Amino acid sequence: MGRILFTNQVACELNMHLCSVAVPMRFLVVDKNSRENCLPLLQGVEILPQNIIEIGTGEGSKSLETVYHVWEQLELGGARRDSVVINLGGGVVTDLGGFAAACFKRGVRCVNIPTTLLSQVDASVGGKTGVNFMGFKNEIGVFSIPELVIIDNSFLATLPKSEIISGYAEMIKHALLCSYESLDKIMQVDLESVASGEFLQILRESVAVKERVVDEDPTEKGVRKALNLGHTFGHAYESYAIEAGVGWYHGHSVAYGLIGAIEMSVMKCGFNRELADTIITYIKSIYPSYPANPSAEELYALMLHDKKNDGNGVNFTLMHEPGEFMINSHCTKEEILQVLKRV
Ligand code: GLY
């Protein structure tokens, strides 16, 4: 899955990686937030000011127009096939910068430096790149593995708690996919010390779960669908919040989606009821209540649009127990409505 480095010395690691790349051939994609808060940690890495490409913040900027802007800057800066695009930021920057790099001259070198927990544990690793199109999330994109991902949890020190718990939902998902031991460990994590050495080790173990799955199935033909655990319900919560105009995070939606997937797993796959209750109580102790009041029918309607569905209806990843998952599980409307009423 490309090289992934875990460190608290991002500048030093990046410099070592770039030692063979001429300074004019280095390009850095940032947004306003990562430029202000994260670029200072790259002190000592030489990048020409005119090669720093700033894009807008947030999902609204994740568009083909923004990609055009990045390509224009690469062209004007004289980028070549052997140039390196370094993406410094959260998921929008790494997804969009990765896509721009993958298409420019049919692919230039790419390094991701994710700065949010969500992008460190999920978005920046595994090679999914892309942009939103005509209101659909990540509709246009390609699989393109970056040559290096540098994960430095010093970036997490100043992130608000909501950003931390958003990324943490993907770590709970990885633990559920991995084993009882991982689940037990993840539920004991101290979210107050995310910049610590201990947390860096937990991050490494979490990303390793994704790495194993992606190595087996890089283009999501089969087992990679397991990484969608919680996302079928989760995307419905996320889409509803966007339509209702209420502020809500991707990871918070995934957390609620995991509750849905666990309930469905109890109903259909014999997942232990007592363990399910323990996990659900834990998740609810961390995440705020959902900020809107959709009916089960409204959420179900949104789930019908999930791009992971096939011709056979709504498609889930479910679990028999931690570490034992089942992809391509189709559920009936009645089953889905029943679960939605319990979440
Ligand atoms: N975020 C799930 C995946 O990368 O496949």
Side-chain angles (χ1 to χ4, degrees):
M1 195 170 70
R3 197 162 149 242
I4 305 177
L5 259 171
F6 295 82
T7 182
N8 55 14
Q9 303 207 324
V10 60
C12 180
E13 297 292 353
L14 184 59
N15 261 336
M16 277 201 285
H17 185 74
L18 292 179
C19 61
S20 63
V21 182
V23 173
M25 292 301 113
R26 302 169 180 185
F27 294 82
L28 182 73
V29 181
V30 289
D31 65 12
K32 187 168 179 291
N33 293 334
S34 62
R35 182 175 216 151
E36 275 171 25
N37 303 315
C38 306
L39 189 50
L41 265 83
L42 296 193
Q43 205 183 13
V45 179
E46 272 188 277
I47 295 176
L48 301 178
Q50 65 269 30
N51 284 1
I52 298 180
I53 307 171
E54 183 174 322
I55 65 169
T57 54
E59 281 292 315
S61 305
K62 202 174 164 185
S63 63
L64 285 174
E65 289 73 20
T66 309
V67 175
Y68 187 96
H69 168 68
V70 174
W71 285 334
E72 231 172 16
Q73 297 306 304
L74 291 174
E75 203 65 75
L76 292 170
R80 303 186 314 223
R81 255 280 177 76
D82 58 350
S83 299
V84 175
V85 172
I86 304 153
N87 300 309
L88 177 75
V92 171
V93 170
T94 56
D95 279 13
L96 186 143
F99 177 63
C103 301
F104 191 77
K105 294 191 192 287
R106 298 205 183 94
V108 296
R109 299 171 59 186
C110 178
V111 172
N112 279 345
I113 306 181
T115 58
T116 62
L117 183 54
L118 190 65
S119 60
Q120 292 191 342
V121 82
D122 190 23
S124 71
V125 291
K128 281 188 179 174
T129 72
V131 293
N132 305 332
F133 185 63
M134 291 178 73
F136 299 104
K137 251 183 94 111
N138 302 326
E139 190 70 355
I140 309 286
V142 294
F143 287 101
S144 178
I145 303 275
E147 64 182 26
L148 175 67
V149 181
I150 306 179
I151 296 181
D152 184 336
N153 62 333
S154 320
F155 288 119
L156 307 180
T158 54
L159 278 186
K161 183 78 186 283
S162 46
E163 281 284 352
I164 298 295
I165 63 173
S166 178
Y168 181 56
E170 301 286 357
M171 297 176 80
I172 301 175
K173 177 193 82 178
H174 288 162
L176 273 164
L177 293 172
C178 186
S179 64
Y180 281 95
E181 292 73 25
S182 300
L183 183 62
D184 204 39
K185 199 164 170 189
I186 207 74
M187 292 203 295
Q188 293 182 39
V189 161
D190 179 6
L191 291 176
E192 299 301 325
S193 39
V194 288
S196 67
E198 290 75 36
F199 194 81
L200 190 62
Q201 177 56 23
I202 291 164
L203 260 179
R204 188 194 300 267
E205 289 168 20
S206 187
V207 172
V209 175
K210 176 160 184 177
E211 210 174 355
R212 282 197 292 275
V213 172
V214 172
D215 279 344
E216 203 178 319
D217 176 24
T219 54
E220 202 169 306
K221 299 286 186 290
V223 71
R224 185 166 181 169
K225 293 181 189 172
L227 297 174
N228 296 326
L229 180 70
H231 284 62
T232 311
F233 286 110
H235 282 154
Y237 286 108
E238 192 171 10
S239 305
Y240 191 88
I242 292 169
E243 279 177 20
V246 291
W248 191 240
Y249 291 79
H250 171 74
H252 295 39
S253 302
V254 171
Y256 275 85
L258 287 174
I259 296 178
I262 290 168
E263 288 287 4
M264 190 66 91
S265 299
V266 171
M267 193 193 294
K268 285 178 69 96
C269 309
F271 194 95
N272 182 278
R273 178 74 262 171
E274 212 177 310
L275 177 60
D277 287 338
T278 306
I279 305 167
I280 292 168
T281 306
Y282 175 71
I283 291 177
K284 288 192 171 169
S285 74
I286 304 235
Y287 293 87
S289 339
Y290 189 65
N293 201 14
S295 67
E297 285 280 354
E298 283 174 303
L299 290 172
Y300 175 73
L302 288 167
M303 290 167 79
L304 291 177
H305 293 290
D306 198 294
K307 71 165 160 296
K308 298 179 299 298
N309 294 338
D310 51 28
N312 301 317
V314 186
N315 198 353
F316 294 87
T317 296
L318 299 178
M319 285 168 305
H320 298 293
E321 59 180 332
E324 286 296 324
F325 53 82
M326 249 170 44
I327 58 169
N328 296 331
S329 305
H330 294 98
C331 300
T332 63
K333 179 175 179 184
E334 290 64 39
E335 288 167 334
I336 295 169
L337 293 181
Q338 205 177 327
V339 163
L340 284 168
K341 284 176 190 149
R342 287 184 66 94
V343 175

